[in-house]
Amino acid sequence: MISTITDRLLLSIPVLFGVLLFGFLLLQLVPGDPAQVVAGPMAAPDVVEAIRVQMGLDQPMIYQFWAYLERMAQGDMGRSMISNKAVTEELWSAIGPTVELMVACLFWSVPLGIGMGTLAAVLRGSLVDRFIMGLSVAGVSLPIFFIGLLAVQYFGVLWFNLPFIGRGGPLWSADGLMHLILPAVSLGAIMIGPVARMTRSSVLEVLKLDHVRTARAKGLTETQVILRHGLRNALIPVVTLIGLQAGYLLGGAVVTETIFSWPGIGRLTVGAILSSDFTVAQGAILVFALAFIIINLIVDVLYSLLDPRVRR
């Protein structure tokens, strides 16, 4: 397992380099002058030019990129062009709420999706199976912003009066938990459908295998056969899908955090792009890339736990 983790970390180095290159080119190619953003729209040309020299924008591009890599290697992402705060400080304050939202989303949507998919496989062809697959298709088809607006309309305004603006506090507080419900439910709704469909398909394939028939011949109950011999082997492709979907949830988190004014990385990124705060946008892109790498690493570790053949 250690060798697998080491190999994956080594393979992630070119990915990080590509992300850093993309983030650097973002600052060079987007319309607008970063020095003008820092100085303000009413600044005199000589002030703007002085800021350009201070930021190193008068140097050749290759030297600017090398200096950018050196700063990133030291953990220095620069300062925000708008607030003048350290980018690491702003990102660090936004990572916690995004992690809370992602964990809360996966906490309820993944078990529910696996349970629904398993039930649909066991009751294949029944009304329950068709109902679950219909819900899955609806969950895949509806965009996240539409689900979020429906949640605000019905659960936040008409029915239960749940809070839907901002983050009430840390996750372990009652106010923070109440504010987390609607964003986590909205974001998790797009996760259930793909997980349920993949689980159903995978369980149906595994239930046809010889070792499942052998388990039934030994006299095990159907519940034991499904849980111990069917579902565990069927989870390998499901884990792959969950890893991919968890990465895509970061994109959904951008929309969800914007709808619910959730102070996470997604909302920070949108604000940075709209205000032309390029340094914060660069840091957010790097955080998203690191999140994808960490998620893929976790998926590889889960592979080795579910299938001992992977460790050989």
Side-chain angles (χ1 to χ4, degrees), residues 75 81 277:
M81 296 180 178
D277 196 346

Side-chain angles (χ1 to χ4, degrees), residues 146-157 164 182-183 185-186 260:
F146 182 71
I147 297 175
L149 293 176
L150 285 181
V152 170
Q153 176 69 18
Y154 290 99
F155 295 99
V157 177
F164 54 85
L182 286 186
V185 169
S186 302
F260 294 97

Side-chain angles (χ1 to χ4, degrees), residues 22-185:
F22 174 79
F24 173 76
L25 293 178
L26 175 69
L27 184 64
Q28 302 293 326
L29 301 178
V30 293
D33 186 358
Q36 186 71 57
V37 174
V38 175
M42 305 302 295
D46 57 336
V47 175
V48 175
E49 185 61 29
I51 293 176
R52 285 182 58 84
V53 174
Q54 182 182 2
M55 297 177 64
L57 298 177
D58 59 328
Q59 300 293 326
M61 188 175 296
I62 185 66
Y63 290 106
Q64 294 184 43
F65 182 58
W66 181 254
Y68 174 68
L69 291 179
E70 287 183 337
R71 292 198 311 269
M72 287 297 174
Q74 299 171 3
D76 181 13
M77 296 184 179
R79 306 190 72 84
S80 170
M81 296 180 178
I82 304 300
S83 65
N84 201 34
K85 294 181 180 179
V87 174
T88 52
E89 179 183 344
E90 294 204 0
L91 291 175
W92 185 254
S93 63
I95 287 175
T98 297
V99 171
E100 287 182 2
L101 180 59
M102 296 285 292
V103 171
C105 164
L106 296 175
F107 179 78
W108 78 272
S109 62
V110 171
L112 182 59
I114 292 176
M116 291 172 58
T118 305
L119 182 62
V122 174
L123 302 178
R124 179 183 181 183
S126 65
L127 290 178
V128 175
D129 179 22
R130 296 178 182 178
F131 177 74
I132 292 176
M133 288 300 99
L135 285 180
S136 300
V137 173
V140 173
S141 304
L142 294 177
I144 180 62
F145 71 86
F146 182 71
I147 297 175
L149 293 176
L150 285 181
V152 170
Q153 176 69 18
Y154 290 99
F155 295 99
V157 177
L158 297 179
W159 293 346
F160 301 107
N161 199 27
L162 291 174
F164 54 85
I165 297 178
R167 176 174 176 254
L171 183 59
W172 53 85
S173 65
D175 192 32
L177 187 61
M178 293 297 293
H179 279 78
L180 182 62
I181 291 177
L182 286 186
V185 169

